[in-house]
Amino acid sequence: MDVHVTLQPGAPIARQLFDQIRDAIVDGRLRAGDALPSTRDLALTLGVARNTVAVAFDHLRAEGYLRTQAGVGTFVSADVHAVRHGIVPPSALRPNRAWLEDWAPPDMSALDGPFDLRTGLPDVKDFPFPTWRRLLDDASRRSTEHGRYADPQGLSVLREAISRHLAVSRGLRIRSSEVVVTNGVQQALALLAQVLLGPGTVAAFEDPGYPPARRAFQAARAEAVPVPVDGDGLVVSQLPEDARLVYVTPAHQFPLGGRMPLARRFELLEWASRHDAAIIEDDYDTDFRFTAPPIETLHSLDRAGRVIYVGSFSKTMMPSLRLGYCVTPPGLVEAMRRAKFATDWHSPTSLQAALAAFIDEGRLDRHIRRMRHRYAARKDALARILDEHLAGALARIPSHAGLHLAAWARSETADVDRWVENARRLGLLLHTVADFAVRPTMPGLVLGFGALGEDRVPAAMHALQAAILD
């Protein structure tokens, strides 16, 4: 039987022969028992050395695709039926319904324009990398201590450092035994969803709000229910009666920026007690507070052990660090340890040790203080230009913390998607409020200033003004 082989210049010929004959067998074009031409005949046909063909045939025999009968010839192995029929067509494997929704993870890895106003981006240029490298080198050299498997809950030195940091910065009175180290807040949410939720369980989240929270709940096959927010945060009266878990950002509502007043916080805690529900409090960026004192956390007000406090070092240090934490009531700690183990055993120990030293040496606090001053200047510059030059198109929403500002369009019919597309052509990247919403919302923009130097704010706002007027 003649075998059609097309050789391409550049690639090893023996490899090309192997790949094309193997594909013909797997695809069924060559069937079990079919005879192949001799190495001499195939070499003459292709105009290559016989030894090259022999090398390809030897490889195919070694893999089980061919068999040779002395004095008779070379044939396709009878075993190829099992190989061929064992291949599952791509359409036969389907994910569960949580992954069928049409969405893609955001690509925040590259800067596609000179002005990046997307949310969640701190200024890593000002991070003390020499100090961090020293601490990471020190941790890596302790290979005996950090080269083995570790406790899924996290290194004790890091859990103790986190508990001290939260006691000073947020007034939390917690024990290190209540801290679980995670790979960012996203993993904390995913683990909590595994531990607290199940198929059909109701989990409530702010709308507009943080999309990865909803994704984590859906991945646990729970029913994720959006709950509206107003100027005071999540509207407690709109919570579904059967919610088992509520996700909130009370200190700085994401993405609108509101602060949940004390009365609303007590209302939420009372609701959770009445409905036997858990509350996840995400305190994602309130280390950067500018014009108002920090509000007391839900965790500090909680007397029933219903609040789970989560945070990370993505905004205060750098997103690529991928270390966060979860402060859980004692009754959930062991379940969280098991869930963490089942997911990835533990977070990288050298990173954990370096971060513990970074906190204990006071480096984190100093970096936060320095960056708070710089971010405040950027926020003020952005707010001033919004109020003075873009007030006809946008109404800025007051915000006292964080790395972004939100603004509603003055007109309910404003085409903010067109503004964003125009802005992209001008090198300006930003989000709309609708990017973070499930239900229809008023048109608005969310403007991150973390990665935008103060000297670049005027040019970025000039580009935005041009995008709106285009």
Side-chain angles (χ1 to χ4, degrees):
M1 175 183 291
D2 291 333
V3 177
H4 178 74
V5 176
T6 302
L7 298 180
Q8 302 294 329
I13 294 174
R15 183 71 213 187
Q16 293 187 61
L17 288 172
F18 172 85
D19 289 342
Q20 293 188 44
I21 295 173
R22 178 205 57 200
D23 290 347
I25 294 171
V26 172
D27 292 344
R29 288 178 280 128
L30 288 175
R31 297 174 297 178
D34 283 347
L36 270 69
S38 67
T39 56
R40 182 189 304 274
D41 290 344
L42 187 53
L44 287 172
T45 300
L46 298 175
V48 301
R50 182 182 179 186
N51 186 60
T52 300
V53 179
V55 169
F57 274 34
D58 287 345
H59 193 181
L60 287 161
R61 277 192 292 269
E63 291 287 341
Y65 292 107
L66 300 182
R67 62 177 178 83
T68 296
Q69 187 174 346
V72 179
T74 300
F75 305 88
V76 177
S77 172
D79 294 335
V80 299
H81 285 293
V83 173
R84 180 187 174 201
H85 296 306
I87 294 177
V88 179
S91 60
L93 294 176
R94 302 286 288 173
N96 68 47
R97 62 183 179 85
W99 306 107
L100 291 175
E101 188 176 339
D102 186 16
W103 64 279
D107 181 8
M108 305 290 283
S109 60
L111 299 180
D112 298 324
F115 308 114
D116 199 333
L117 270 70
R118 292 175 296 179
T119 62
L121 294 175
D123 192 343
V124 296
K125 297 189 300 297
D126 287 327
F127 185 74
F129 283 106
T131 298
W132 178 249
R133 283 193 292 268
R134 172 182 64 79
L135 296 174
L136 195 56
D137 287 344
D138 290 345
S140 298
R141 279 195 294 270
R142 296 197 296 272
S143 57
T144 302
E145 180 181 355
H146 300 303
R148 302 191 182 102
Y149 289 114
D151 186 343
Q153 190 174 348
L155 296 185
S156 60
V157 290
L158 178 56
R159 292 189 284 110
E160 290 164 1
I162 290 172
S163 64
R164 288 192 296 271
H165 172 68
L166 293 177
V168 173
S169 66
R170 299 297 280 127
L172 267 62
R173 295 190 295 271
I174 59 174
R175 295 183 291 271
S176 62
S177 59
E178 299 170 329
V179 177
V180 178
V181 177
T182 61
N183 294 334
V185 164
Q186 267 108 315
Q187 187 179 54
L189 297 176
L191 297 179
L192 288 167
Q194 292 177 40
V195 167
L196 294 173
L197 303 176
T201 310
V202 174
F205 61 94
E206 299 167 325
D207 187 35
Y210 183 55
R214 173 165 61 103
R215 305 301 182 196
F217 305 152
Q218 291 173 327
R221 303 180 69 183
E223 181 184 355
V225 178
V227 178
V229 299
D230 59 19
D232 291 335
L234 180 132
V235 181
V236 177
S237 62
Q238 297 295 309
L239 282 167
E241 292 292 316
D242 54 350
R244 170 93 168 102
L245 183 152
V246 182
Y247 170 84
V248 289
T249 54
H252 184 228
Q253 199 281 324
F254 183 87
L256 299 182
R259 289 156 51 96
M260 184 178 285
L262 185 62
R264 180 76 61 90
R265 278 174 276 153
F266 276 124
E267 181 185 6
L268 178 57
L269 290 169
E270 291 168 1
W271 185 96
S273 293
R274 289 198 312 272
H275 293 82
D276 192 24
I279 300 171
I280 299 178
E281 178 180 18
D282 188 349
D283 210 12
Y284 66 100
D285 67 357
T286 51
D287 281 307
F288 302 118
R289 299 179 297 272
F290 306 124
T291 59
I295 69 169
E296 193 171 12
T297 63
L298 286 168
H299 190 279
S300 297
L301 297 172
D302 179 28
R303 296 296 180 268
R306 297 196 171 275
V307 176
I308 303 159
Y309 184 93
V310 299
S312 81
F313 301 92
S314 295
K315 310 297 186 297
T316 53
M317 293 177 64
M318 49 187 165
S320 60
L321 182 59
R322 304 314 307 145
L323 283 178
Y325 53 87
C326 177
V327 180
T328 67
L332 288 182
V333 171
E334 186 55 34
M336 288 292 288
R337 288 184 72 249
R338 294 169 182 167
K340 173 67 176 175
F341 170 80
T343 301
D344 64 357
W345 199 313
H346 60 77
S347 298
T349 53
S350 293
L351 286 177
Q352 292 189 60
L355 178 55
F358 192 76
I359 296 172
D360 287 341
E361 290 184 6
R363 305 283 182 174
L364 178 61
D365 287 338
R366 284 197 289 274
H367 181 62
I368 289 173
R369 287 195 300 270
R370 181 171 62 252
M371 296 310 299
R372 184 185 296 137
H373 176 75
R374 296 181 183 179
Y375 290 142
R378 298 175 194 184
K379 171 187 174 293
D380 291 343
L382 183 63
R384 183 171 57 254
I385 295 175
L386 283 173
D387 294 344
E388 294 177 358
H389 300 286
L390 290 167
L394 294 169
R396 179 172 60 87
I397 302 173
S399 178
H400 303 285
L403 303 181
H404 70 269
L405 290 173
W408 294 119
R410 293 288 185 181
S411 171
E412 294 184 3
T413 60
D415 189 353
V416 292
D417 290 327
R418 180 178 61 82
W419 295 356
V420 170
E421 184 57 35
N422 291 343
R424 180 177 292 275
R425 289 197 293 269
L426 297 171
L428 179 65
L429 305 178
L430 67 159
H431 294 294
T432 70
V433 174
D435 290 336
F436 306 103
V438 176
R439 294 170 175 167
T441 182
M442 290 174 54
L445 298 178
V446 183
L447 310 172
F449 52 82
L452 187 69
E454 183 183 355
D455 59 333
R456 297 173 63 79
V457 171
M461 290 300 95
H462 180 75
L464 177 59
Q465 186 174 29
I468 293 173
L469 296 177
D470 186 1

